Amino acid sequence: MQGQCPHIQTPRGNLKGSAIMIKKYVFGTPFPTNAVVTEMETAKDKLPFLETDNQGTFTYALSENDIVYGLGEQIRGINKRGWQYVSWNYDNPNHHEDTRSLYGSHNFILIRGDVTFGAFFDYAGKMEFDIGYTRRDLMQIRAAKNDLVVYIITGENEKDIVKQFRKIIGRSYIPPFWAFGYGQSRWGYKTEQDIREVAKQYQAAGIPLDSIYLDIDYMERYKDFTVDTERFPNLKVLAEDMKQQGIHLVPIIDAGVKIEKDYDVYEEGVQNNYFCKNAEGGDFVGAVWPGRVHFPDFLQPDARKWFGKKYAVLTEQGIDGFWNDMNEPAIFYTEDRLADTCAEIEKLTSGNMGIQEYFAFTGMVAGLNGNIGDYDKFYHNVDGKMVKHSEIHNLYGMNMTRSAFEALQEICPEKRTLFFSRSSYIGAHRYGGIWQGDNKSWWSHILQSMQQLPALNMAGFLFTGCDTGGFGCDTTEDLMLRWLQYSLFTPLFRNHAADGTREQELYRFNNVAAAGEMVKIRYSLIPYLYSEFLKAALHDEMMFRPLAFDFPEDAEAAQVEDQLFLGNELMIAPIYKQNAQGRYVYLPEEMMLVRMKSYDNYETEILPKGHHYVPVALDELVFFIRNQKAIPFAEPAESTAKTDLSTLRLLGYADASYELYTDNGVSPDPEDSLSVSTL
């Protein structure tokens, strides 16, 4: 990044007791993103804390002990110091430590140090965050163009700053109660019989199950809003049969619409100019699962409404949950780039292909997928003006999610529909949840998922979780057990794997009993998890927090990167290393350790503040209850529909109480049926 401003002096000082405020600063002519829903006047004073060159670059001098939180779905820990991150929604399942972009862009950061403040950079195009990467003592943030809005938030502490930010971006999506149950998914359930067999085997194993996911295999040649009637002859009957077993079917919807004559979605989109355009004014052509596709122009209100109404094709067959995928949008290739690449490869392979030619060959093939140059080739119609996609790229998935959410409010006005997406921008949290994208069966991806949770909560995304067991690669029994012991705490609890990988349904493992007990413990914890979720959503708070947010004066707590507070009562500290038989934890206060092999087979121990080594067997769950706190704990049920709140007991410190939030789990507005009681 250019313009390093090496002599910048950032004002320092303790903000405690100072005015709590949010200020809005406008640069250039920003594109309206719809991320912030609160009307605010533009500030007239100079932008505080950050220096700007008025060319889209913002600079901040970092003190040695400054911590930088935020950026939502990104890699490299809770503290983002020391790396360069790029906000550019990107289909990248192979996220190693050198990854800079993932599936979502969430441009909110919170700096904790001599000065503690939050900053939201509301910009829909490519944005770089150099947080001590080029120079450890310098943070530089650069937008591709100087057309953006910057919000600066100050407050009493980190939690207060997040709460204020969450208030201006709107209430987080709240899913139906059944969405907190366990879900089984796989790209590779190719027939109705596959679905029925999964349900049968889970029932035989005695493992609770609330949902089975339909990946792209259920469609007719990967066409949105179609069902392959040879492989799924009667989806409506299948959905009804599953519901009688307490299981909801959740199909996938992709962004690309197959180009095919007499396919209604394609024909209607062309006829009404609902697709993104190329530079010549024709419908832009990319390629994903069906081959050649058009992309709906979700920035057009009419196109959003049209596409959203198509979900009725599936709700009419008994479907009450969806997940949107490939909506960055992912592009496998464009025809002109493919033709150019094939021509170059023909030249390279016509003679002796040495090392340089070989690297050029593999690089060109790999460069087809998600090539950033392809996003300059198509346009959106925004109030009659053609806007290049690359300038608003990060809004695409958000507006696809909005399309479905708003339509489903009309299609199914009497109930909540489960909905989550792969791609997102701040603001999408109002319309649905997200899962953390295609991951791998790597131990490191347990930790990576956990470290994303606080930053996602800061950005409003509460209903989230990762692909338990890993999507790509082959999982192992010990990895699955450890992953379950983490994921059973996240709102979205889904086992998902890719076609061609090892089958990882829990009943396939030798130690199916231990896996089943982990799921049953999840069902025992659902009353607590759902209650804390409602509190976080209704009060604009974080469900998952770094330890330092609750213990700001504890220097050791600020260094902890692999433990989180969950609500106000729990602390989680999962195992995320192969063959580990335990782990070290840091307790910033006295806590109760709970060691659990099943919901009715556990022991507790009071541990004092400080560092502890905690043995954890492969078949047991360990978590911590905070000092003088208790949580509600129920008998596990076969599905969420059979959850019996009359079996609730308190687990934790004697004489502690708990404020329980419940609702009917269905009403579009949970406050219509909200009940608050003290246990």
Side-chain angles (χ1 to χ4, degrees):
M1 300 175 74
Q2 302 298 315
Q4 303 222 349
C5 303
H7 304 298
I8 181 174
Q9 295 295 319
T10 301
R12 301 283 167 184
N14 194 332
L15 290 187
K16 289 184 177 179
S18 64
I20 297 172
M21 62 182 183
I22 303 176
K23 285 195 170 185
K24 173 184 177 182
Y25 297 86
V26 178
F27 297 86
T29 307
F31 186 90
T33 67
N34 197 42
V36 172
V37 295
T38 302
E39 292 291 334
M40 298 179 62
E41 295 291 330
T42 300
K44 304 299 183 184
D45 60 333
K46 181 183 177 183
L47 180 72
F49 310 127
L50 303 167
E51 292 288 332
T52 180
D53 61 0
N54 290 311
Q55 301 296 315
T57 300
F58 301 85
T59 311
Y60 183 81
L62 292 166
S63 295
E64 182 59 30
N65 294 322
D66 280 353
I67 295 175
V68 182
Y69 298 107
L71 294 185
E73 189 180 57
Q74 272 290 1
I75 66 159
R76 288 201 168 217
I78 295 173
N79 182 358
K80 294 299 189 290
R81 289 279 299 259
W83 191 239
Q84 181 190 50
Y85 309 87
V86 179
S87 286
W88 181 263
N89 294 358
Y90 181 49
D91 177 13
N92 175 21
N94 302 307
H95 24 283
H96 300 273
E97 282 193 34
D98 61 350
T99 297
R100 286 171 166 82
S101 301
L102 286 177
Y103 298 97
S105 294
H106 312 115
N107 301 335
F108 174 76
I109 59 172
L110 197 162
I111 298 171
R112 177 181 189 266
D114 296 334
V115 175
T116 298
F117 68 97
F120 172 44
F121 300 85
D122 195 4
Y123 182 71
K126 184 179 179 181
M127 195 163 202
E128 299 177 7
F129 292 79
D130 184 331
I131 307 178
Y133 168 72
T134 302
R135 275 181 43 179
R136 179 165 175 77
D137 62 348
L138 200 67
M139 176 169 67
Q140 276 199 322
I141 300 161
R142 186 174 67 187
K145 288 187 176 181
N146 192 42
D147 295 314
L148 71 161
V149 182
V150 180
Y151 296 85
I152 301 294
I153 307 106
T154 57
E156 290 294 327
N157 51 45
E158 294 88 340
K159 289 193 286 187
D160 180 59
I161 288 169
V162 170
K163 188 180 183 77
Q164 291 186 72
F165 176 60
R166 292 269 303 281
K167 283 183 180 297
I168 68 170
I169 61 175
R171 178 186 287 182
S172 298
Y173 162 81
I174 299 173
F177 182 68
W178 64 262
F180 283 75
Y182 177 70
Q184 180 60 56
S185 180
R186 182 176 178 84
W187 169 24
Y189 295 155
K190 300 183 185 300
T191 67
E192 174 183 316
Q193 186 54 40
D194 290 341
I195 302 300
R196 293 187 182 277
E197 184 66 17
V198 169
K200 176 183 176 182
Q201 292 296 336
Y202 267 98
Q203 186 177 37
I207 301 175
L209 184 66
D210 261 88
S211 54
I212 298 177
Y213 288 77
L214 305 179
D215 210 313
I216 56 177
D217 304 288
Y218 82 92
M219 301 179 187
E220 179 191 327
R221 290 178 286 117
Y222 309 132
K223 296 188 296 184
D224 283 338
F225 310 115
T226 67
V227 178
D228 187 320
T229 54
E230 289 188 7
R231 290 181 286 129
F232 292 84
N234 196 325
L235 182 62
K236 188 172 185 177
V237 170
L238 176 63
E240 181 58 34
D241 289 350
M242 290 296 103
K243 282 185 181 179
Q244 290 180 6
Q245 301 176 47
I247 298 170
H248 301 256
L249 297 183
V250 185
I252 194 171
I253 303 293
D254 284 341
V257 173
K258 181 176 175 61
I259 298 172
E260 180 177 280
K261 183 176 173 53
D262 298 328
Y263 168 38
D264 64 329
V265 184
Y266 163 72
E267 297 282 7
E268 291 170 16
V270 171
Q271 181 179 349
N272 293 285
N273 283 314
Y274 288 152
F275 293 129
C276 294
K277 302 297 183 181
N278 57 31
E280 292 73 36
D283 292 327
F284 173 76
V285 178
V288 281
W289 297 117
R292 298 168 70 247
V293 300
H294 294 323
F295 292 111
D297 186 356
F298 291 114
L299 272 70
Q300 285 188 53
D302 288 346
R304 274 201 307 273
K305 189 172 183 178
W306 161 74
F307 193 87
K309 286 183 175 179
K310 293 296 181 182
Y311 285 81
V313 170
L314 293 165
T315 60
E316 290 170 357
Q317 299 184 66
I319 299 300
D320 49 14
F322 299 92
W323 50 306
N324 276 356
D325 198 8
M326 307 295 287
N327 54 344
E328 292 71 33
I331 302 177
F332 290 169
Y333 63 86
T334 56
E335 291 184 317
D336 56 347
R337 188 176 302 280
L338 178 63
D340 291 344
T341 299
C342 289
E344 289 299 316
I345 287 175
E346 186 175 358
K347 293 178 185 177
L348 288 171
T349 57
S350 62
N352 178 44
M353 193 163 66
I355 187 64
Q356 297 301 324
E357 292 81 7
Y358 172 75
F359 285 143
F361 169 82
T362 56
M364 281 189 290
V365 173
L368 286 170
N369 184 24
N371 192 294
I372 197 167
D374 290 337
Y375 297 96
D376 280 326
K377 296 177 181 178
F378 62 103
Y379 297 78
H380 296 266
N381 182 348
V382 181
D383 298 326
K385 179 183 177 183
M386 301 309 290
V387 177
K388 186 180 291 186
H389 173 83
S390 58
E391 296 181 4
I392 53 85
H393 172 73
N394 295 329
L395 298 181
Y396 191 81
M398 167 184 172
N399 280 281
M400 183 181 179
T401 302
R402 179 182 179 182
S403 168
F405 175 80
E406 292 178 345
L408 288 164
Q409 285 184 310
E410 297 183 16
I411 295 168
C412 309
E414 75 288 352
K415 66 179 182 180
R416 298 175 224 164
T417 301
L418 170 61
F419 201 85
F420 58 92
S421 170
R422 190 170 77 176
S423 176
S424 61
Y425 182 80
I426 290 176
H429 69 285
R430 300 191 297 270
Y431 309 122
I434 60 172
W435 92 99
Q436 294 165 311
D438 297 342
N439 60 3
K440 296 286 188 181
S441 297
W442 298 341
W443 289 89
S444 62
H445 278 189
I446 299 178
L447 179 62
Q448 179 175 285
S449 171
M450 185 182 72
Q451 291 174 331
Q452 289 177 358
L453 292 175
L456 286 170
N457 280 195
M458 291 178 202
F461 294 95
L462 298 179
F463 189 73
T464 187
C466 65
D467 287 342
T468 297
F471 175 70
C473 303
D474 294 327
T475 198
T476 60
E477 182 170 310
D478 57 339
L479 176 58
M480 176 57 77
L481 283 169
R482 292 305 194 195
W483 213 314
L484 288 169
Q485 291 159 15
Y486 156 65
S487 290
L488 68 85
F489 290 107
T490 61
L492 175 59
F493 185 29
R494 178 179 76 150
N495 176 345
H496 184 41
D499 197 13
T501 64
R502 178 181 183 178
E503 294 175 309
Q504 60 187 49
E505 293 80 11
L506 300 184
Y507 52 78
R508 298 185 185 279
F509 293 105
N510 183 58
N511 199 348
V512 62
E517 291 301 336
M518 293 304 114
V519 177
K520 290 176 184 177
I521 292 170
R522 158 63 171 226
Y523 278 73
S524 294
L525 285 168
I526 283 178
Y528 176 73
L529 298 175
Y530 188 70
S531 176
E532 292 304 302
F533 186 97
L534 287 177
K535 291 175 187 177
L538 297 176
H539 303 311
D540 299 311
E541 294 173 346
M542 298 170 64
M543 188 173 177
F544 293 93
R545 300 182 306 282
L547 271 57
F549 276 39
D550 289 47
F551 293 88
E553 306 302 324
D554 188 328
E556 290 188 84
Q559 299 299 310
V560 175
E561 288 270 330
D562 58 357
Q563 303 167 209
L564 292 176
F565 287 134
L566 194 178
N568 291 316
E569 288 76 22
L570 284 191
M571 186 185 78
I572 63 172
I575 300 287
Y576 55 91
K577 294 182 179 179
Q578 184 172 327
N579 298 319
Q581 299 180 20
R583 56 159 293 167
Y584 286 93
V585 297
Y586 174 68
L587 306 185
E589 63 178 355
E590 176 194 292
M591 293 188 190
M592 176 183 289
L593 180 151
V594 180
R595 185 182 303 279
M596 187 171 285
K597 286 184 177 290
S598 68
Y599 75 99
D600 58 357
N601 179 14
Y602 62 89
E603 56 188 40
T604 63
E605 177 184 1
I606 302 297
L607 297 180
K609 172 183 176 179
H611 296 272
H612 302 271
Y613 178 78
V614 179
V616 185
L618 188 60
D619 62 349
E620 66 181 1
L621 174 71
V622 165
F623 59 92
F624 300 83
I625 298 177
R626 296 184 61 182
N627 191 22
Q628 302 307 313
K629 303 285 187 181
I631 64 169
F633 202 65
E635 290 185 9
E638 295 176 11
S639 66
T640 53
K642 295 185 178 180
T643 300
D644 185 357
L645 295 183
S646 69
T647 68
L648 286 181
R649 66 182 190 272
L650 284 180
L651 174 60
Y653 283 83
D655 301 323
S657 61
Y658 178 77
E659 186 178 62
L660 178 71
Y661 276 40
T662 59
D663 69 354
N664 63 19
V666 176
S667 297
D669 187 345
E671 291 186 291
D672 291 343
S673 61
L674 184 67
S675 174
V676 181
S677 57
T678 300
L679 302 177

